[in-house]
């Protein structure tokens, strides 16, 4: 089966070559106009289906407040601010995203969540959060972001660096299915096309293995079945404590 997957992947990459050549000239336009709008609309649909799951996940954010009640949250790959509605009132938010064009929709989300204290937006990838000081935030949030970063290990290392001791990294990610399933096979087959259309998203990644090896003092992780199409139905959620 792996041999067939390899052949199929090679065929897809060959078919996508002309689109990639054209894409080299149109990628900036795609990221500037189409991708933020698409993510904004898809995030709203995702939130409706995953509302209870997100409420459960972000309920633990308040556990990381400092003794004086303050809570500073750094969101990696904030996108259009789809998670803001689940953050506890009064928390201070720092947002990072590699796409500066997300700010237009980010501000729309902020207008609907006036109880948050927005500190700043930083154009940065998850692998390089150098503009954020060591041990300066109480919690780091990453949802549907580890599937798109180029280096998961470096991203988790950065998350640990900016977290204060005892702080938490909250995550919600779609992951690869069990190897013995048809879903797993299909995920492998469509990955080249998915990666291209999904702006670098990997549907066949065992993200939990990276989290287990990231060096957090405590990892609370569980696998859940999301009410989504079978390709992205497999999710992991939880919290890693520094």
């Amino acid at each position: 089966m792996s041999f067939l997957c390899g052949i199929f992947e090679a065929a897809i990459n060959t078919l996508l070559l002309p689109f990639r050549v054209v894409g080299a000239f149109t990628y900036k336009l795609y990221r500037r106009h189409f991708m933020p709008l698409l993510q904004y609309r898809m995030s709203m649909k995702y939130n409706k289906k995953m509302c209870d799951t997100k409420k459960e996940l972000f309920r633990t954010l308040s556990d990381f407040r400092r003794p004086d009640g303050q809570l500073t949250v750094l969101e990696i790959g904030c996108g259009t601010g789809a998670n803001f509605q689940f953050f506890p009132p009064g928390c201070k938010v720092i947002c990072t995203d590699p796409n500066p064009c997300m700010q237009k929709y980010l501000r729309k989300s902020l207008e609907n969540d006036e109880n948050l204290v927005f500190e700043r937006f930083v154009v940065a990838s998850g692998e390089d959060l150098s503009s954020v000081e060591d041990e300066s935030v109480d919690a780091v949030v990453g949802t549907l972001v580890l599937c798109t970063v180029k280096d998961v290990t470096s991203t988790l290392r950065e998350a640990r660096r900016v977290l204060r001791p005892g702080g938490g990294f909250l995550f919600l990610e779609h992951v690869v299915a069990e190897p013995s399933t048809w879903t797993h096979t299909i995920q492998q087959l469509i990955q080249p096309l998915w990666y291209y259309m999904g702006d670098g998203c990997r549907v066949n990644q065992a993200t939990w293995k990276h989290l287990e090896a990231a060096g957090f003092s405590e990892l609370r992780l569980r696998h859940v079945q999301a009410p989504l199409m079978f390709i992205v139905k497999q999710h992991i959620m939880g919290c890693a404590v520094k």
Side-chain angles (χ1 to χ4, degrees):
M1 183 61 72
S2 60
F3 176 72
L4 292 176
C5 287
I7 294 177
F8 187 83
E9 182 177 353
I12 290 294
N13 283 325
T14 301
L15 291 173
L16 287 175
L17 184 59
F19 295 98
R20 286 174 174 158
V21 173
V22 174
F25 298 97
T26 62
Y27 188 59
K28 287 185 178 180
L29 183 64
Y30 170 78
R31 284 179 63 87
R32 183 175 297 275
H33 298 289
F34 181 72
M35 195 62 196
L37 176 60
L38 178 63
Q39 186 168 337
Y40 182 71
R41 292 180 175 176
M42 290 181 64
S43 294
M44 288 192 294
K45 294 180 179 179
Y46 184 85
N47 273 357
K48 288 181 179 179
K49 294 185 176 182
M50 299 293 287
C51 183
D52 290 341
T53 302
K54 282 196 171 185
K55 283 181 178 179
E56 178 186 352
L57 175 68
F58 291 122
R59 193 177 295 123
T60 60
L61 269 179
S62 295
D63 296 341
F64 299 104
R65 288 187 183 275
R66 295 174 182 262
D68 60 4
Q70 292 188 9
L71 175 65
T72 300
V73 178
L74 167 68
E75 182 165 9
I76 302 174
C78 63
T80 59
N83 289 326
F84 289 168
Q85 62 181 288
F86 303 100
F87 289 0
C91 72
K92 184 186 298 183
V93 182
I94 302 170
C95 297
T96 72
D97 199 282
N99 189 347
C101 301
M102 292 293 181
Q103 290 187 76
K104 173 183 175 182
Y105 298 96
L106 185 70
R107 298 194 179 281
K108 283 186 178 181
S109 296
L110 284 168
E111 290 173 0
N112 296 326
D113 295 280
E114 298 179 352
N115 291 325
L116 302 180
V117 180
F118 179 66
E119 182 173 297
R120 56 187 166 125
F121 174 84
V122 181
V123 179
S125 64
E127 298 92 336
D128 182 11
L129 303 174
S130 55
S131 59
V132 183
E133 296 180 358
D134 295 359
E135 301 184 354
S136 61
V137 301
D138 304 302
V140 175
V141 167
T143 63
L144 304 183
V145 66
L146 294 180
C147 60
T148 57
V149 296
K150 293 180 180 179
D151 190 330
V152 180
T153 300
S154 295
T155 300
L156 294 175
R157 186 184 303 121
E158 281 289 84
R160 286 184 62 239
R161 178 184 65 80
V162 301
L163 276 172
R164 64 167 174 80
F169 172 57
L170 278 67
F171 55 88
L172 177 64
E173 301 284 340
H174 67 78
V175 295
V176 68
E178 289 289 335
S180 60
T181 63
W182 276 107
T183 300
H184 180 275
T185 301
I186 295 173
Q187 286 173 329
Q188 303 301 324
L189 290 174
I190 69 170
Q191 176 52 37
L193 181 62
W194 190 278
Y195 184 89
Y196 180 77
M197 299 302 295
D199 197 22
C201 178
R202 295 182 295 275
V203 75
N204 61 347
Q205 182 170 267
T207 306
W208 65 89
K209 294 182 179 180
H210 294 279
L211 285 159
E212 291 169 350
F216 287 95
S217 64
E218 181 183 356
L219 178 61
R220 312 166 195 161
L221 181 151
R222 63 189 178 95
H223 292 254
V224 296
Q225 296 292 305
L228 305 169
M229 63 179 292
F230 74 101
I231 294 296
V232 290
K233 193 177 186 67
Q234 295 74 28
H235 275 52
I236 58 172
M237 63 179 292
C239 177
V241 181
K242 181 173 178 178

